[in-house]
Amino acid sequence: MKIFAGKKLFFSFICVCIVCCVSVSAVVQMSMSIKTSVSVNADEAENSYIKWFEFDATNEIMSRAMKADIESEKSDDVKLDWIKIIACLATKKGGKLSACKAADVDEVCRKMKEGESAEQIAGNEKYYNYYYEGYRAALGGLVGYYEIEQDTDAGKVMARKYGLKGFSPIAKGYSFSHYDDFGAGRTYGFKRKHLGNDLMGSVGTPIIAVESGIVEALGWNRYGGWRIGIRSLDGMRYYYYAHLRKDRPYHSSLFVGKSVSAGDVIGYLGMSGYSIKENTNNINIPHLHFGLQLIFDESQKDSNNEIWIDMYQLVEFLQKNKSAVQKDDTKEYNRVYQMHDPNAYE
């Protein structure tokens, strides 16, 4: 009996040890799992910004969505947001907005007015959020309230308006031609793709700030020649204007850090660039290279993961609003009608 009891006691001790070992192992594994999970979640949170976005909105779709937005602002009906309309359509069409028709816009607007949320209409909240953030980054500063001068019998007075407050990059009264050349091959320096839209025009044509923002870059670049980089006020858009005029490329008031208003004259069309030597014309045809980079995280600004979008349809859309300019005694061009953007720096 004592022998049996001793064996039983020894067996119990072994079982307890095994259980303890298993428990400790489980705790360690659980701890490691938690740490790993926290680390992964932290990494995911840190890298949750959009890495790639393809802009596929057409002039027709943007115009119709904006019109619905503006009309709803003037009425007592449900307020429609043009970017939400576009995001709904992009979700439903798998990003291919070029496949949308005017009737598709009208259908989304009808459902919104009946009380359906954008997420409900889109049918997929995850992808809707992606397209909404993408198109908000691309179009977020173009529609809203602003004040602009208008002519009256008493002279120019400021009038408050709601609508398109972004401008064409080419001044009113100046012609240009362009085609969808985004992604076309370029060979100077190295083989690469064209990440903008070339607007062919005459040397000296006044170039306009599309949106209010801050001048971030000003000077010579061997590829873009004399160029200007302007960051939008929300930091999500970087407008790039390149191949400006030789000798006198910029408006005399410009400097890095200066705030500009949408519609301001910022420079002059030319044919500079493709040379390591400053102030050289090596571009065959006078034109403005106009580009737009989307920035969801500051690490994307100057990196191998930059997001440049196709500007052709957006340039067409912006032709609805052109800035009138006039030349002063110094042969500098300035806007005729001053504008105040409530979002701009004072």
Side-chain angles (χ1 to χ4, degrees):
M1 291 295 292
K2 288 182 179 180
I3 293 174
F4 177 75
K7 289 182 178 179
K8 185 175 181 181
L9 182 62
F10 177 75
F11 179 75
S12 299
F13 174 75
I14 294 298
C15 289
V16 169
C17 290
I18 292 173
V19 170
C20 289
C21 289
V22 171
S23 299
V24 170
S25 176
V27 169
V28 170
Q29 288 182 359
M30 184 180 294
S31 175
M32 290 177 64
S33 176
I34 291 172
K35 288 181 180 179
T36 302
S37 177
V38 169
S39 176
V40 170
N41 290 337
D43 290 341
E44 288 178 352
E46 184 179 345
N47 298 307
S48 61
Y49 56 86
I50 292 176
K51 309 299 189 304
W52 177 251
F53 187 78
E54 182 177 357
F55 185 92
D56 195 50
T58 63
N59 177 26
E60 180 185 21
I61 294 303
M62 288 185 285
S63 299
R64 202 164 187 89
M66 181 182 69
K67 181 181 178 181
D69 183 318
I70 295 171
E71 288 178 349
S72 73
E73 186 66 26
K74 297 176 181 177
S75 70
D76 295 327
D77 295 334
V78 176
K79 176 66 177 76
L80 303 179
D81 182 323
W82 76 306
I83 296 178
K84 288 184 177 181
I85 295 169
I86 291 172
C88 281
L89 293 169
T91 306
K92 293 170 76 68
K93 296 292 184 178
K96 299 300 180 183
L97 280 170
S98 53
C100 290
K101 305 298 182 185
D104 296 321
V105 178
D106 296 341
E107 178 69 7
V108 169
C109 292
R110 181 186 65 78
K111 291 182 177 181
M112 285 183 171
K113 289 178 180 179
E114 290 176 353
E116 289 191 55
S117 69
E119 292 84 352
Q120 289 173 325
I121 299 169
N124 187 313
E125 185 175 358
K126 176 183 177 181
Y127 287 109
Y128 166 78
N129 289 336
Y130 166 77
Y131 286 116
Y132 176 73
E133 290 303 320
Y135 279 104
R136 184 173 69 88
L139 304 173
L142 298 182
V143 172
Y145 280 103
Y146 62 98
E147 292 181 342
I148 193 163
E149 284 183 327
Q150 61 181 28
D151 292 318
T152 69
D153 293 338
K156 291 178 182 176
V157 297
M158 296 296 288
R160 188 170 186 261
K161 295 186 176 184
Y162 180 88
L164 180 59
K165 59 180 182 178
F167 286 82
S168 165
I170 301 295
K172 185 176 183 178
Y174 292 83
S175 62
F176 72 93
S177 63
H178 70 141
Y179 65 95
D180 195 349
D181 55 347
F182 187 81
R186 293 290 185 270
T187 57
Y188 175 77
F190 63 98
K191 199 171 184 180
R192 63 195 189 283
K193 292 183 178 181
H194 186 234
L195 301 177
N197 188 208
D198 286 345
L199 313 184
M200 313 299 177
S202 301
V203 172
T205 294
I207 302 304
I208 304 299
V210 169
E211 188 182 340
S212 299
I214 303 296
V215 177
E216 277 196 357
L218 194 70
W220 182 262
N221 176 289
R222 64 178 294 191
Y223 302 101
W226 294 119
R227 89 288 191 234
I228 303 169
I230 297 177
R231 181 78 77 98
S232 63
L233 298 177
D234 63 8
M236 303 192 77
R237 290 169 295 288
Y238 179 73
Y239 292 93
Y240 184 67
Y241 309 80
H243 304 314
L244 302 180
R245 182 176 61 185
K246 182 180 179 179
D247 295 329
R248 197 174 180 182
Y250 315 123
H251 191 280
S252 59
S253 66
L254 242 57
F255 56 87
V256 173
K258 178 180 173 59
S259 61
V260 296
S261 293
D264 284 352
V265 176
I266 56 173
Y268 303 97
L269 187 147
M271 49 198 300
S272 66
Y274 281 18
S275 175
I276 59 174
K277 183 180 179 182
E278 282 193 5
N279 206 34
T280 300
N281 281 341
N282 266 346
I283 301 297
N284 294 326
I285 301 174
H287 70 273
L288 170 70
H289 170 96
F290 179 47
L292 177 56
Q293 180 189 4
L294 303 187
I295 303 169
F296 298 95
D297 184 84
E298 201 58 30
S299 65
Q300 296 174 312
K301 176 60 173 61
D302 296 300
S303 71
N304 294 323
N305 301 307
E306 297 174 356
I307 303 175
W308 295 88
I309 64 173
D310 190 336
M311 296 292 289
Y312 177 77
Q313 291 291 335
L314 188 53
V315 169
E316 289 289 288
F317 173 74
L318 291 170
Q319 297 315 297
K320 298 174 180 61
N321 198 21
K322 297 182 179 182
S323 184
V325 300
Q326 60 188 2
K327 185 165 58 173
D328 64 21
D329 295 337
T330 67
K331 297 184 179 181
E332 191 81 86
Y333 282 84
N334 297 286
R335 68 188 306 158
V336 174
Y337 301 103
Q338 298 302 312
M339 173 183 168
H340 171 69
D341 185 341
N343 295 322
Y345 293 103
E346 296 295 337

